[in-house]
């Protein structure tokens, strides 16, 4: 910055500067022409401010403004004025002031937008919203989703630090499946077959004898075979793994961690959450509730179906005033090989899911920590021991009783904001039909690159 040039002031900091001169930088959200006056709503990282361009104040600014369209990036110098009482925007923190422009510098031009972005809501169909993601993310309603998401990440990090977990970073190119199932993406790895990781699971477990308690935020890849409103092909998991901790304590810790994250978000954004005492039900008990309260007999099922999760959450809210409910003891054979069976009922496992407003947002378990038991479990599932040699080594040498859990970031975001589709809760969502561009429109050459 050359000597004598004014310093940029953020929009949020202008409120107390009425009568003073200020320089702001930002993007044009909307432009309105009223007779000889031009009004611009300018957005920077801190807020949105009305700027008035009056040819009587600055003829040059008025001339420059002629070509200004939405999304132009501008530097504007002007005088901060109090707005007349009847023009105060009560919904904006800077709604009591506006900037009267003396000088406008165009920092970057923008082409004519493909659709109107100036409205309070962005009324676009989901595919259009995603086709134009780098642009639609700029709309205040859309970017707010990711401000909330940033708070969830921050809240998780703080909660994990409170648990005295050490942060780790783990690979996503792996040799074996962790979660079982067929939902795997394969990668040509120098001529060898590798996979994209379904979860940081094996690495976080291997780190227990090193740090005792660890956390990570990791990408997880699931080749989901169908299109749903709550599955992504690439998702973000927020994981913890803790040594010398067993089932009951794990339940306490996962619930208190969830409450900490949600409270942290609630304190920084205006979101209402019901924090009654979180009810805990075994899968069987949950199925009984669904049978008794909702008249559907799911008692032979090995898991909760989407409608079951909705019903159980409805029950938890009505009977316990809680938006959260914990379900435990899923059938051992329906869970991954590392899940510890309940010693009192080995057909069922020391596993848990946390449901929030009708959707599972977390799952986890106490793990099998005995080497021989783990080997048997891998064999029982018809999996090859060869791909687990390094993992198993960690269990040969003093793995304590341990367990952990994993939150789905986009699921929490979706449910906190009552979004109808998880794709809205991912900056650049991947699904069966899309890697940024719709796959049907990517030509074949590009597909095989
Ligand atoms: P799980 O497979 O249940 O468990 O995943 C944990 C959490 O991640 C989220 N999630 C997803 N979100 C969007 N799209 C998907 N396709 C998707 N898959 C999972 C969910 C889910 O609750 N290793 C274990 C966790 C553990 O035991 O610690 C695991 O991955 O919110």
């Amino acid at each position: 910055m050359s000597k004598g040039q004014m310093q940029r002031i953020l929009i949020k900091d202008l409120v107390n500067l009425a009568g003073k001169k200020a320089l702001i930088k930002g993007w044009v959200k909307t432009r309105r022409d009223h007779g000889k006056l031009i009004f611009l709503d300018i957005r920077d990282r801190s807020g949105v401010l009305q700027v008035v361009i009056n040819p009587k104040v600055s003829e040059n600014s008025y001339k420059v403004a002629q070509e200004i369209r939405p999304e132009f990036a501008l530097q504007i110098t002007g005088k901060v004025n109090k707005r007349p009482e009847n023009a105060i925007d009560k919904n904006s923190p800077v709604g009591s002031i506006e900037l009267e422009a003396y000088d406008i510098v165009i920092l970057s031009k923008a082409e004519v937008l493909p659709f109107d972005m100036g409205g309070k809501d962005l009324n676009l169909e989901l595919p259009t919203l995603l086709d134009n993601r780098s642009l639609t993310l700029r709309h205040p309603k859309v970017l707010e989703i990711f401000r909330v998401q940033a708070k969830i990440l921050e809240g998780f990090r703080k909660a994990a630090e409170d648990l005295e977990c050490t942060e780790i970073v783990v690979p996503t190119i792996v040799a074996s499946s962790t979660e079982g199932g067929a939902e795997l993406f394969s990668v040509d790895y120098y001529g060898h077959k590798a996979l994209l990781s379904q979860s940081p699971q094996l690495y976080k477990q291997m780190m227990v004898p090193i740090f005792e308690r660890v956390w990570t935020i990791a990408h997880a890849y699931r080749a989901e075979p169908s299109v749903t409103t709550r599955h992504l092909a690439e998702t973000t998991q927020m994981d913890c793994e803790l040594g010398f901790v067993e089932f009951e304590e794990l339940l306490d810790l996962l619930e208190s961690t969830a409450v900490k994250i949600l409270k942290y978000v609630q304190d920084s954004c205006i979101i209402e959450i019901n924090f009654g005492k979180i009810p805990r039900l075994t899968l069987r008990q949950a199925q009984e509730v669904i049978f008794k309260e909702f008249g559907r007999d799911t008692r032979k099922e090995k898991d909760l179906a989407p409608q079951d999760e909705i019903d159980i959450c409805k029950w938890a809210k009505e009977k316990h005033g809680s938006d959260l409910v914990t379900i435990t003891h899923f059938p051992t054979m329906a869970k991954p090989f590392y899940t510890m069976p309940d010693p009192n009922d080995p057909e069922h496992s020391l596993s848990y899911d946390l449901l929030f407003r009708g959707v599972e947002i977390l799952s986890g378990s106490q793990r099998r920590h005995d080497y021989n038991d783990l080997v048997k479990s891998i064999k029982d599932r018809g999996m090859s021991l060869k791909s687990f040699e390094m993992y198993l080594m960690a269990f040969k040498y003093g793995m304590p009783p341990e367990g952990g859990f994993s939150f789905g970031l986009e699921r929490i975001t979706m449910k906190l904001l009552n979004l109808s589709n998880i794709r809205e809760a991912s900056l650049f969502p991947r699904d069966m039909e899309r890697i940024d561009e719709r796959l049907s429109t990517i030509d074949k050459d590009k597909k095989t690159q």
Side-chain angles (χ1 to χ4, degrees):
M1 198 168 53
S2 65
K3 231 180 151 190
Q5 200 178 326
M6 284 180 76
Q7 282 231 12
R8 177 190 184 192
I9 299 184
L10 285 177
I11 285 172
K12 72 169 168 52
D13 297 330
L14 290 176
V15 214
N16 299 320
L17 294 183
K20 299 250 163 61
K21 203 173 159 189
L23 181 152
I24 63 164
K25 293 183 185 184
W27 294 268
V28 177
K29 189 170 162 278
T30 49
R31 172 200 175 124
R32 294 179 299 279
D33 290 62
H34 283 300
K36 272 259 160 189
L37 296 179
I38 300 171
F39 293 92
L40 301 178
D41 280 344
I42 301 291
R43 167 178 69 87
D44 73 7
R45 67 176 192 272
S46 73
V48 176
L49 177 77
Q50 174 164 285
V51 173
V52 191
I53 302 154
N54 183 345
K56 286 190 193 141
V57 173
S58 164
E59 210 170 302
N60 193 45
S61 298
Y62 190 71
K63 224 164 94 202
V64 174
Q66 291 309 314
E67 67 162 317
I68 291 174
R69 284 189 297 262
E71 296 310 320
F72 267 52
L74 303 177
Q75 169 182 308
I76 307 176
T77 315
K79 189 172 148 232
V80 182
N81 285 335
K82 278 215 157 88
R83 286 211 213 178
E85 197 60 40
N86 60 357
I88 289 177
D89 177 1
K90 295 215 167 62
N91 296 320
S92 159
V94 290
S96 64
I97 51 156
E98 60 190 16
L99 191 74
E100 188 175 60
Y102 296 159
D103 183 52
I104 301 180
V105 180
I106 295 175
L107 302 175
S108 183
K109 297 186 180 186
E111 292 194 12
V112 176
L113 297 181
F115 35 74
D116 177 21
M117 300 252 298
K120 196 160 168 286
D121 291 299
L122 190 56
N123 293 316
L124 297 175
E125 299 285 329
L126 187 62
T128 314
L129 188 80
L130 299 179
D131 284 346
N132 300 280
R133 201 59 165 156
S134 57
L135 198 55
T136 56
L137 282 168
R138 300 182 191 190
H139 189 277
K141 272 273 168 79
V142 183
L143 67 81
E144 191 52 30
I145 298 172
F146 297 96
R147 254 202 250 277
V148 170
Q149 186 163 88
K151 289 290 167 197
I152 300 172
L153 287 162
E154 222 172 275
F156 171 73
R157 287 191 185 102
K158 284 185 194 291
E161 295 294 345
D162 286 351
L163 289 177
E164 298 181 353
C165 296
T166 301
E167 181 177 10
I168 56 167
V169 177
V170 303
T172 49
I173 299 175
V174 297
S176 54
S177 149
T178 58
E179 305 304 305
E183 292 114 26
L184 293 161
F185 287 112
S186 50
V187 184
D188 178 356
Y189 192 73
Y190 303 111
H192 299 273
K193 192 178 158 223
L195 303 167
L196 291 181
S197 167
Q198 295 168 295
S199 145
Q201 184 66 33
L202 304 191
Y203 296 101
K204 66 174 178 170
Q205 286 191 264
M206 284 189 264
M207 291 306 290
V208 166
I210 294 123
F211 289 133
E212 195 180 311
R213 294 181 167 202
V214 293
W215 69 272
T216 188
I217 298 176
H219 289 277
Y221 300 89
R222 308 281 171 105
E224 299 290 347
S226 57
V227 177
T228 81
T229 56
R230 56 206 212 141
H231 288 95
L232 291 166
E234 180 172 16
T235 167
T236 315
Q237 294 188 327
M238 304 186 294
D239 279 47
C240 289
E241 195 73 11
L242 305 101
F244 303 107
V245 179
E246 298 185 43
F247 189 58
E248 289 297 326
E249 194 181 347
L250 284 164
L251 290 173
D252 291 342
L253 291 178
L254 83 86
E255 289 172 358
S256 62
T257 304
V259 168
K260 262 191 198 167
I261 298 173
L262 295 175
K263 287 211 163 136
Y264 186 77
V265 181
Q266 192 183 36
D267 288 348
S268 12
C269 316
I270 310 153
I271 292 175
E272 258 202 52
I273 306 166
N274 298 299
F275 288 111
K277 183 168 166 29
I278 303 172
R280 284 179 193 170
L281 300 174
T282 64
L283 176 66
R284 280 181 174 165
Q285 290 166 338
Q287 289 167 333
E288 285 299 335
V289 169
I290 292 167
F291 184 56
K292 280 206 191 97
E293 305 277 330
F294 299 91
R296 292 186 302 108
D297 192 355
T298 62
R299 289 175 294 180
K300 292 207 167 65
E301 301 300 326
K302 292 190 168 66
D303 200 354
L304 294 177
Q307 188 58 45
D308 304 339
E309 295 184 349
I310 292 170
D311 288 349
I312 281 294
C313 286
K314 195 163 170 243
W315 168 87
K317 191 168 169 197
E318 278 168 14
K319 294 264 158 46
H320 299 269
S322 171
D323 279 345
L324 294 159
V325 47
T326 307
I327 312 294
T328 66
H329 294 87
F330 292 87
T332 303
M333 284 315 279
K335 285 304 236 182
F337 69 90
Y338 52 76
T339 314
M340 175 84 99
D342 184 345
N344 302 316
D345 171 18
E347 297 278 293
H348 293 89
S349 59
L350 299 179
S351 54
Y352 35 78
D353 279 3
L354 184 69
L355 312 185
F356 176 54
R357 298 185 175 166
V359 162
E360 171 204 320
I361 57 158
L362 163 146
S363 80
S365 59
Q366 184 175 336
R367 323 298 188 186
R368 293 179 193 262
H369 63 280
D370 176 80
Y371 173 81
N372 292 316
D373 179 36
L374 204 48
V375 166
K376 185 170 178 309
S377 175
I378 293 173
K379 281 191 187 152
D380 285 350
R381 281 168 169 76
M383 296 157 86
S384 148
L385 285 179
K386 187 89 195 81
S387 9
F388 293 99
E389 273 176 9
M390 184 187 283
Y391 172 73
L392 286 169
M393 184 180 234
F395 292 80
K396 250 189 202 169
Y397 303 99
M399 180 66 81
E402 57 106 357
F405 44 83
S406 168
F407 290 94
L409 173 67
E410 296 86 359
R411 292 238 180 126
I412 300 180
T413 313
M414 169 171 82
K415 283 289 130 186
L416 261 177
L417 295 171
N418 293 319
L419 305 173
S420 53
N421 194 310
I422 195 165
R423 286 159 187 76
E424 287 186 65
S426 168
L427 284 172
F428 301 103
R430 270 81 177 103
D431 63 21
M432 262 182 112
E433 292 162 347
R434 178 184 301 276
I435 305 176
D436 296 334
E437 289 170 64
R438 294 188 208 189
L439 293 171
S440 55
T441 62
I442 298 179
D443 60 66
K444 230 176 150 226
D445 288 354
K446 217 165 152 191
K447 232 185 214 173
T448 52
Q449 257 174 24

